[in-house]
Amino acid sequence: MLDILNLNQFTAILLLSVVVVGPTGCKPHTDAEADAVPTVEEPSQSAAASAKPHPDLSGRTRFGIASSYAKKFAGREMADGTKMDPHGDNAASKTLPLGTTALVTNTETGQNAQVTIQDRGPYVVGRIVDLSASTARKIGITQHMGIATVTVAPISVPQPDGSVKRGAATPDAKP
């Protein structure tokens, strides 16, 4: 009987540690360029999810779910080395290169805002962008709602060679 009680305590502690130590945002690792995934961001098989993703340098519009940074990340260092400003235009993407500017549009309300990708994430399956609190409010994401379906149309995408590619949100962008 004593062994069963010890096993149950161990199981409870293990489960609690998984929940508490689970994925969180704001610079979870130092290799920012290695965090990109393919342009289509859909839930994938666990084997595919563990593979190193590739950066999206295409400048194409993406469609998915946006969320807002949690309050606890305010002031924390982002992947580009700056502090997360809940009143700024900073955002996180797993695939867009750091320094990308993009137009994020709430597909339900039509409200949009310009952001600069300065961090990696979100680390929740199915989400394509995390927004600062002020940007989330600008496009109609409330604390009650928490998420919204959005389009992310890059305006300018930094390339590995130092050049900048015009994105889908630029009227004269080339496909």
Side-chain angles (χ1 to χ4, degrees):
M1 180 70 176
L2 187 58
D3 288 337
I4 292 173
L5 290 176
N6 286 338
L7 182 59
N8 286 340
Q9 287 177 339
F10 175 75
T11 304
I13 290 170
L14 182 62
L15 179 60
L16 183 60
S17 68
V18 169
V19 170
V20 171
V21 179
T24 57
C26 270
K27 200 169 181 179
H29 31 78
T30 58
D31 188 6
E33 291 302 318
D35 285 347
V37 293
T39 301
V40 177
E41 293 188 22
E42 297 174 359
S44 59
Q45 301 298 329
S46 60
S50 65
K52 289 281 185 186
H54 300 287
D56 180 2
L57 304 172
S58 69
R60 286 183 257 161
T61 299
R62 300 143 26 96
F63 180 84
I65 304 295
S67 54
S68 178
Y69 274 101
K71 289 181 182 180
K72 68 181 180 180
F73 296 117
R76 289 197 187 171
E77 186 176 340
M78 295 187 292
D80 72 352
T82 62
K83 303 287 184 189
M84 201 292 274
D85 178 5
H87 304 290
D89 71 350
N90 43 287
S93 170
K94 291 177 282 198
T95 60
L96 292 171
L98 297 178
T100 298
T101 57
L103 189 65
V104 179
T105 304
N106 182 327
T107 60
E108 187 175 316
T109 66
Q111 296 169 295
N112 61 51
Q114 185 173 318
V115 298
T116 302
I117 304 300
Q118 295 179 278
D119 203 7
R120 292 291 167 223
Y123 295 101
V124 176
V125 174
R127 296 191 189 169
I128 65 168
V129 68
D130 259 342
L131 305 170
S132 67
S134 67
T135 301
R137 280 191 303 274
K138 284 179 191 174
I139 69 165
I141 298 177
T142 64
Q143 282 187 327
H144 173 70
M145 204 168 61
I147 60 172
T149 303
V150 298
T151 58
V152 178
I155 297 168
S156 65
V157 183
Q159 301 294 297
D161 66 1
S163 66
V164 176
K165 181 175 186 170
R166 291 176 179 253
T170 308
D172 58 343
K174 295 178 183 174

